[in-house]
Each structure stands twice: as structure tokens, then as C-alpha cells.
Amino acid sequence: MKEIRITDKEAGQRLDKFLMRYLPEAGKSFLYKMMRKKNIVLNGKKCTGSELLKTEDSVKLFFAEETLQKFLGSQQQKEKNSLPSLDPDCIIYEDEQMLAVNKPVGMLSQKAEKGDLSLTEYLTGYLFSTGALDEEGYRTFHPGVCNRLDRNTSGLVLAGKNNAAARALYAMFQQRSMEKYYLALVRGEMKNPRRIRGYLKKDAASNKVTVSDREQPDAAYIETAYEPLETVKGYTLLKVELITGRTHQIRSHLSYIGHPIVGDSKYGSRKTNELFRKQYGLQHQFLHAEEVIFPALEPPLEQLSGKSITAPLPGEKTILLQKLGFKAEL
């Protein structure tokens, strides 16, 4: 018999989801059968799998040791041994519940294909290296990012260190209850703050979007606000607030109004991009997720209520601005 005591990291999820993570080699139908036969019990009682787990709950598995080891599987150990560890300098905030990372340009937020190495793997390796995650915990909680940035966008990415924190962060992004700000260098002179609205339609085949002023089938409403910080030599540094959060929203929306982001290969100006590549070595869009401001929050993230977290602009972008003659302190 194996008894599992539920900790804060596992609490809040359904029992059946927990079991499928804990016993990855056991099929779903087998697990439900074991619950019906009371070979799996919750707090000593028969269970269905739909129960939400709470801290200190007891899950007992009445399996032979050989059977248990078979269902635990060996893939987890292989995954752990192959994980890279994130550079601690990338961590800009961390507490018992969550952490914030300044993602570098060129790193995927999540895997696009099976063989990819993404921020998710680096985060998992980091949590193992600091002792915030162990093998037992990894059976039922796989860390992941709660917001995604394009590969070539730098800046803030948030991750929960347990299921409850991750769900709370996901909910904030889904409900748009936190304020999210970006820095963008765009072509053209922009003098006044503005809030722009439109409709965004995604073409999955090309992984590109189009923006329109008019509502149309399969198009999502978008809203973006910006404030010009400084204009130099026909280019403007903007602080952009992402009101809605759609695929490529900032990049496509600014391009639509005639001010594409410098270096943006999908929505930008080829001539401008080539100029910045040759003169300044810029190989990607000048877009950086700079800041989040949290609303009033309840446990487990109450310590973040009203808090602002800021990701410093990468050194190469700061140097580029200085070479152009921008004086803004970033």
C-alpha cells in the first residue's frame, strides 16, 4: 500500500487529474476501475475522481509494489536528468508561490515541437536545482509558464511554483485583471497618448494575423493603449499597455496604424529592418514585456497585491537606443 499526503503543490486539482500525473503509465479507465473497487481511496473513503484535493488529504493506493513501480514509469527520471538550469540572473522576482523571469530573445516560452528546449524546461531545471521541486512533487506538478511571449520578444514571463499559484496566475491573464506594459521602438514620430481598437483575425497556416477597424467573422476584438516616451530621428519609443491579449496583437496593431515595430520581420518595414540590421546589428523586433502590476489578490498570491514587477531592458536594446540618441532612462 502507498499513501500520498497532498501538499500545497498538489491541492486544488481534481483527484483523477492528480492520479494520471502520478501514475503516467496507468490508463484512465484502469484508474477509474481501481476507484470503483476501492483499491484507490481518498481519506479512507470510496472516491469517483471528481473530488478537488485539499492540503493534508490522504490518497491510498492498494497496489503491489511491483504494480506500483510499473505504473510510476521511468520517463520522469529521464526527463529530470536532461533538464537545463536557468541562469539565476534571469530571475527578477521569486517567492514561495511564484517567480518572474526576464526571458531572453531567441528562447521559446513553451515547446513548439517535441525536441524543442523552451523556458518551461529551464524553469523546471531551476526549481529542481533550488530544491523547490523534488521527484515526488514532479509526479503531480510540472511547472509551466502562465503567459507566453514570441520567441523574439524579450521580457516578463510568470510561472507558478505549485498548482494553486499557477491556476491563480492563469486566471489573472484570462480575466485581464492585471496591468501589462511593453516597450516598443516604432518607425515614425508619435506625439500623443492614444487608445486604439480593432479586430484581429488569425491565419493559422501562415501564423500571421490581420487587423481591421470593422468587425468580421472569426475576428477577435482587440484594444491597445500607448504612450510616446521619446522621439529621435523619426523613431519613437512607446510604452504600450496590452488591454486585450491576442496573438501578435501589439506588433500587428501598431503596424496597422502605420507605425511598425523596428526589426519586425512579419509586420514591419523591410527597408527599416535592413537599415537597423546593418547599422546596429538588430536581428529581431524591438519589443520587450517590461512590467506587470497586480490587482488586489487573495491566497495563495495575496503577497502580490498591488505589486509592480519590472524586467530591465536587455543590454543590447539599451545600447541601440543610446546609439540612436535616446535619453530615456530605462
Side-chain angles (χ1 to χ4, degrees):
M1 187 272 290
K2 169 75 172 180
E3 181 179 16
I4 308 162
R5 282 286 176 179
I6 302 302
T7 69
D8 291 341
K9 291 181 179 179
E10 296 90 29
Q13 61 184 308
R14 282 173 55 119
L15 173 60
D16 52 3
K17 301 295 184 184
F18 168 83
L19 291 170
M20 282 184 272
R21 293 187 181 102
Y22 192 82
L23 302 168
E25 302 300 321
K28 186 187 294 187
S29 59
F30 172 82
L31 292 172
Y32 285 126
K33 180 180 179 181
M34 291 299 97
M35 285 186 276
R36 287 195 302 272
K37 290 191 169 186
K38 296 181 70 174
N39 287 332
I40 298 176
V41 297
L42 176 63
N43 297 323
K45 298 178 181 178
K46 186 175 181 180
C47 50
T48 65
S50 63
E51 297 85 355
L52 288 179
L53 294 174
K54 301 185 294 296
T55 302
E56 294 300 324
D57 275 351
S58 165
V59 178
K60 290 182 179 178
L61 311 175
F62 292 93
F63 297 167
E65 183 62 26
E66 182 179 320
T67 302
L68 180 63
Q69 291 304 316
K70 173 186 173 182
F71 290 145
L72 286 173
S74 60
Q75 184 61 31
Q76 174 174 284
Q77 185 62 40
K78 292 179 183 178
E79 287 179 4
K80 181 194 170 185
N81 292 339
S82 65
L83 290 170
S85 187
L86 188 67
D87 183 346
D89 289 343
C90 291
I91 307 293
I92 53 179
Y93 175 83
E94 183 174 9
D95 61 30
E96 291 296 315
Q97 301 295 329
M98 61 85 67
L99 50 79
V101 178
N102 194 353
K103 184 189 83 67
V105 164
M107 182 182 287
L108 289 165
S109 296
Q110 293 178 319
K111 285 186 178 186
E113 297 179 2
K114 186 176 181 180
D116 288 338
L117 192 61
S118 72
L119 178 56
T120 297
E121 286 70 55
Y122 280 96
L123 280 170
T124 305
Y126 171 78
L127 293 176
F128 268 119
S129 70
T130 61
L133 185 66
D134 56 24
E135 290 187 35
E136 187 72 7
Y138 189 52
R139 292 192 183 282
T140 55
F141 173 68
H142 282 207
V145 301
C146 297
N147 63 303
R148 288 180 291 176
L149 299 179
D150 295 333
R151 181 197 287 266
N152 289 322
T153 297
S154 59
L156 267 175
V157 177
L158 308 183
K161 293 168 72 172
N162 54 63
N163 281 298
R167 280 195 303 274
L169 288 169
Y170 277 124
M172 274 188 278
F173 282 106
Q174 292 292 322
Q175 297 163 9
R176 304 169 192 162
S177 58
M178 69 171 70
E179 298 176 37
K180 303 179 289 294
Y181 296 95
Y182 291 67
L183 291 175
L185 181 65
V186 300
R187 189 184 67 179
E189 297 189 359
M190 304 171 76
K191 301 296 185 183
N192 301 310
R194 188 180 169 196
R195 183 177 290 236
I196 53 178
R197 300 169 177 83
Y199 296 88
L200 180 148
K201 189 171 185 178
K202 184 176 181 179
D203 181 349
S206 64
N207 191 29
K208 198 169 180 179
V209 303
T210 55
V211 176
S212 171
D213 284 334
R214 296 184 179 181
E215 190 171 1
Q216 51 185 305
D218 300 321
Y221 173 76
I222 57 173
E223 192 170 345
T224 311
Y226 63 78
E227 175 190 357
L229 298 178
E230 190 177 352
T231 298
V232 174
K233 299 176 183 176
Y235 298 96
T236 302
L237 182 65
L238 297 178
K239 183 163 188 174
V240 182
E241 182 178 4
L242 190 61
I243 310 297
T244 56
R246 306 293 183 182
T247 302
H248 299 173
Q249 178 179 322
I250 294 175
R251 297 165 61 188
S252 60
H253 214 175
L254 291 174
S255 179
Y256 180 73
I257 64 170
H259 296 284
I261 294 175
V262 171
D264 190 340
S265 60
K266 278 196 173 178
Y267 306 101
S269 161
R270 182 177 298 178
K271 183 178 178 180
T272 299
N273 295 348
E274 184 66 13
L275 172 68
F276 273 77
R277 186 185 67 80
K278 287 182 177 179
Q279 290 194 6
Y280 304 105
L282 185 66
Q283 302 288 341
H284 50 267
Q285 65 260 15
F286 195 116
L287 182 63
H288 177 73
E290 183 198 31
E291 182 184 17
V292 295
I293 301 176
F294 294 92
L297 296 170
E298 297 180 351
L301 300 179
E302 70 277 14
Q303 74 281 2
L304 296 173
S305 292
K307 184 176 181 62
S308 167
I309 298 178
T310 301
L313 195 66
E316 66 272 16
K317 287 188 170 79
T318 301
I319 292 170
L320 188 156
L321 291 177
Q322 292 170 345
K323 287 181 177 179
L324 277 170
F326 282 87
K327 295 180 173 56
E329 293 187 9
L330 301 169

